[in-house]
Amino acid sequence: MAENPSRVKRRKLATTEIGPCINDVLPTELIQDIIANLTHGHYLAALNVCRKWRKLGYQSIQTLDLGFSRLIVEPKLEVIPFCKNLSRICVEGLKLQPEAFPRISLCGIRLKELRMKSKTIGDAEVGLVLASCRNLESLAIGNTPLFSGTSLGNASDRLMSLGVPFCSGLSGAALTALCQRATSLRSLDISGTKLKSSDLMCLTQLHGLTSLNMAQMDLSASSVSFLGTLSSLLSLNLERTILDQNDFFWIGELRSLIHLDLTGTSLSDEEAQIILPPLSSLVALSLAGTEISDGTMSCLAQLRELRSVMLTMTSVTNTGLLHLAGPACPHLSEIFLSDTNIDREAIQAFLVERQGLIAHFAYRVISLS
């Protein structure tokens, strides 16, 4: 009678000489470094080798990114207590259950950055995380109508970056409480919120604010004079924001600006000729979709540090483009001219003179180098 094949296999394995275990040969630190540098697929396979490798794998995690994943989130968050070096969590596009937030709060003082984008996030959940993660430096909560911001008053005084884009329930009182607490704030994104100009006066308390995103807001009800006091601003985004014509003048007070985005605003040549000349430090400027024409181009020629300018969907013509020829804007390296009144021949002649410049025209990139 033939012997059972499985029994034959076990006998062969029993008589085969097995070498030393890799855990006894390599130092623990080296194994951890190897696991930390594996690709995602190999990393998951390494976690299933043995208990020691699983523990070392968790300890090597510094970022837990579940952005736009269709995996079940809650089991993934169970690894947090084992991730001793975890400092960043990104959970976007997922429906978080209430029990997920106590697990996130287990990070405590280790957590430095947290990004959450879910329509189920409310003030109670954010408050729980902020109460535990006292060293949080960057917080982003996006696209949730349930969040009013009442918990932001408990934010860490170490918070340097806050993003609450399209949080329609965000209140002016909550923003005021935040500004009084997080005096170290450097970057603020309140784009798409329903805050009014009067709600933003508290921003004057943020003396170190360098980046402000107020895109797609309606600020026409009252003056935005507070902008003139934000002297430390380096980046300002007002894309598709509704402003009163007189409020554009306050932008000219921001002499330190490096990046300015006025895409889709009602900016005209008259306002541009007043606000642009003082902004001599501008490196990147977007005027796409505004009401400017050739009258603004002479002002652009005065911006000596300008490297990138977007003039898409404006009324600029061949005559206006000539203002940027010659020694004007010596550092200019990229210009966007799609949907303007400038023809291709004028652009090619312009590029012959400005060697190395890249022009985006009619959705094509033109470069003569």
Side-chain angles (χ1 to χ4, degrees):
M1 183 176 178
E3 189 175 1
N4 190 328
S6 61
R7 184 176 297 178
V8 174
K9 185 177 181 179
R10 286 196 298 270
R11 188 172 66 250
K12 288 182 178 180
L13 290 174
T15 57
T16 301
E17 183 178 355
I18 300 176
C21 176
I22 191 172
N23 291 337
D24 299 329
V25 176
L26 297 180
T28 300
E29 294 78 7
L30 180 57
I31 297 177
Q32 187 170 7
D33 289 341
I34 293 174
I35 295 176
N37 289 281
L38 292 175
T39 60
H40 183 66
H42 291 153
Y43 171 79
L44 295 178
L47 295 182
N48 294 321
V49 171
C50 62
R51 291 181 179 179
K52 180 177 180 179
W53 281 39
R54 179 177 291 270
K55 181 179 179 181
L56 293 176
Y58 287 153
Q59 291 178 353
S60 66
I61 295 178
Q62 295 183 356
T63 298
L64 187 61
D65 194 341
L66 300 174
F68 301 102
S69 171
R70 294 188 177 182
L71 300 175
I72 300 175
V73 179
E74 280 67 31
K76 299 295 179 182
L77 296 178
E78 289 179 355
V79 306
I80 287 179
F82 307 100
C83 303
K84 304 301 182 183
N85 296 318
L86 185 63
S87 61
R88 180 181 183 270
I89 296 179
C90 178
V91 184
E92 296 185 345
L94 299 166
K95 186 176 181 180
L96 292 177
Q97 300 300 323
E99 55 267 23
F101 294 93
R103 291 171 182 163
I104 294 177
S105 65
L106 291 175
C107 293
I109 61 175
R110 293 172 290 161
L111 196 63
K112 303 292 185 183
E113 180 180 354
L114 176 61
R115 301 180 63 86
M116 301 185 293
K117 186 177 181 181
S118 174
K119 293 184 178 180
T120 60
I121 301 174
D123 290 288
E125 291 78 13
V126 175
L128 177 64
V129 174
L130 291 179
S132 302
C133 306
R134 304 306 301 169
N135 286 339
L136 200 63
E137 296 177 356
S138 178
L139 175 64
I141 307 167
N143 197 25
T144 171
L146 302 178
F147 180 68
S148 67
T150 56
S151 56
L152 291 178
N154 298 323
S156 169
D157 55 2
R158 298 188 180 186
L159 191 65
M160 300 182 67
S161 176
L162 174 66
V164 284
F166 298 95
C167 291
S168 55
L170 186 66
S171 66
L175 185 62
T176 300
L178 171 72
C179 294
Q180 294 174 349
R181 174 71 177 175
T183 54
S184 300
L185 206 62
R186 297 291 182 269
S187 176
L188 179 62
D189 182 355
I190 51 176
S191 57
T193 61
K194 297 185 180 302
L195 295 172
K196 302 300 180 183
S197 302
S198 56
D199 299 324
L200 304 179
M201 296 300 295
C202 59
L203 298 182
T204 57
Q205 302 178 44
L206 303 177
H207 302 292
L209 192 66
T210 58
S211 177
L212 179 59
N213 188 345
M214 300 191 299
Q216 301 185 46
M217 295 178 64
D218 186 353
L219 303 177
S220 59
S222 57
S223 174
V224 292
S225 57
F226 66 89
L227 277 178
T229 65
L230 304 179
S231 57
S232 60
L233 268 189
L234 300 178
S235 175
L236 177 61
N237 188 347
L238 294 172
E239 179 184 357
R240 294 184 176 88
T241 293
I242 302 175
L243 291 171
D244 184 85
Q245 292 299 113
N246 295 325
D247 285 335
F248 283 106
F249 303 133
W250 295 109
I251 300 175
E253 300 294 326
L254 306 176
R255 308 300 172 88
S256 300
L257 274 184
I258 294 177
H259 176 271
L260 177 60
D261 191 342
L262 295 174
T263 301
T265 62
S266 58
L267 182 75
S268 65
D269 286 330
E270 181 181 357
E271 288 88 28
Q273 290 169 1
I274 295 177
I275 70 173
L276 290 181
L279 305 180
S280 57
S281 299
L282 273 182
V283 172
L285 174 64
S286 177
L287 301 175
T290 60
E291 300 175 5
I292 67 164
S293 60
D294 294 343
T296 300
M297 301 303 288
S298 59
C299 300
L300 293 182
Q302 301 176 32
L303 303 178
R304 306 288 295 176
E305 301 299 324
L306 195 63
R307 287 168 169 78
S308 175
V309 60
M310 183 174 289
L311 301 171
T312 308
M313 295 184 293
T314 60
S315 300
V316 178
T317 67
N318 297 348
T319 303
L321 186 62
L322 293 177
H323 287 287
L324 299 183
C329 303
H331 302 295
L332 189 64
S333 59
E334 188 175 35
I335 186 169
F336 295 79
L337 298 170
S338 300
D339 295 324
T340 61
N341 296 325
I342 305 174
D343 56 46
R344 188 182 184 88
E345 291 73 19
I347 293 178
Q348 290 180 332
F350 177 67
L351 291 176
V352 169
E353 183 175 353
R354 300 296 299 260
Q355 294 293 321
L357 179 67
I358 298 177
H360 299 261
F361 175 69
Y363 306 105
R364 298 177 183 175
V365 178
I366 305 174
S367 177
L368 298 178
S369 57

